[in-house]
Amino acid sequence: MSETKKTNIILFSGDYDKAMAAYIIANGAAAYDHEVTIFHTFWGLNALRKDGHVAVKKNFIEKMFGRMMPRGADKMGLSKMNYAGFGPKMIKDVMKKHNAMPLPDLINMAQEQEVNLVACTMTMDLLGLQKEELLDNIEYAGVAAYLGEAEDGNVNLFI
């Protein structure tokens, strides 16, 4: 009986293309029967934000962070050639022509493949994000939980 391989990814970046890479790797690893965890921290939490406005009570700074950060995976910018938002539109058109899955679909696929999507609770506190603002069926944990997963990981990536 073979031991289950574990793939752990820290998604720190809030860039659309880097988040896509993380989810492509995660879905590929899950297809190869790896136990996969993506630990979303800092700007990587934007991949887990719901698209629409969620009415929650926030202080002034939390409201400002909420307005500055994109709501949902599809609104994230590119790491290079963002061009005030025009770059993501161009890359999405190219992806559509080549039948590549957009990031929101990759996230759905990851959930269907039971990839463990984890939101960093410390970063949520720092940025004023609340559970109601994030996707359903995800987990919440701190760095100790990630380290526990990473310790047994066969593949550990920081994106």
Side-chain angles (χ1 to χ4, degrees), residues 28-107:
Y32 279 97
D33 293 325
H34 285 218
E35 184 180 311
V36 183
T37 297
I38 304 177
F39 186 77
H40 300 75
T41 190
F42 284 90
W43 316 119
L45 282 169
N46 291 323
L48 297 178
R49 286 188 77 191
K50 292 179 179 173
D51 292 335
H53 174 73
V54 177
V56 290
K57 187 175 180 174
K58 293 185 173 202
N59 66 34
F60 177 76
I61 297 295
E62 293 169 341
K63 286 179 187 176
M64 292 308 295
F65 270 123
R67 287 186 182 121
M68 289 187 290
M69 297 185 314
R71 280 200 183 102
D74 208 34
K75 294 185 179 80
M76 296 165 71
L78 291 180
S79 60
K80 305 283 183 196
M81 301 181 298
N82 192 44
Y83 302 126
F86 187 67
K89 289 180 178 120
M90 287 176 21
I91 195 71
K92 288 174 189 175
D93 285 344
V94 170
M95 289 168 51
K96 190 174 185 177
K97 287 178 187 172
H98 292 309
N99 295 318
M101 291 181 95
L103 182 55
D105 291 351
L106 289 169
I107 293 169

Side-chain angles (χ1 to χ4, degrees), residues 84-156:
F86 187 67
K89 289 180 178 120
M90 287 176 21
I91 195 71
K92 288 174 189 175
D93 285 344
V94 170
M95 289 168 51
K96 190 174 185 177
K97 287 178 187 172
H98 292 309
N99 295 318
M101 291 181 95
L103 182 55
D105 291 351
L106 289 169
I107 293 169
N108 288 337
M109 178 187 282
Q111 288 183 307
E112 289 170 5
Q113 293 195 87
E114 298 181 6
V115 170
N116 189 23
L117 305 182
V118 181
C120 176
T121 53
M122 182 203 71
T123 305
M124 288 176 64
D125 289 344
L126 290 174
L127 300 178
L129 289 173
Q130 298 177 27
K131 290 180 179 181
E132 295 84 1
E133 296 177 271
L134 302 181
L135 299 176
D136 298 328
N137 303 315
I138 63 171
E139 294 188 27
Y140 301 89
V143 70
Y146 167 75
L147 291 172
E149 289 288 320
E151 189 171 46
D152 298 329
N154 301 91
V155 177
N156 290 291

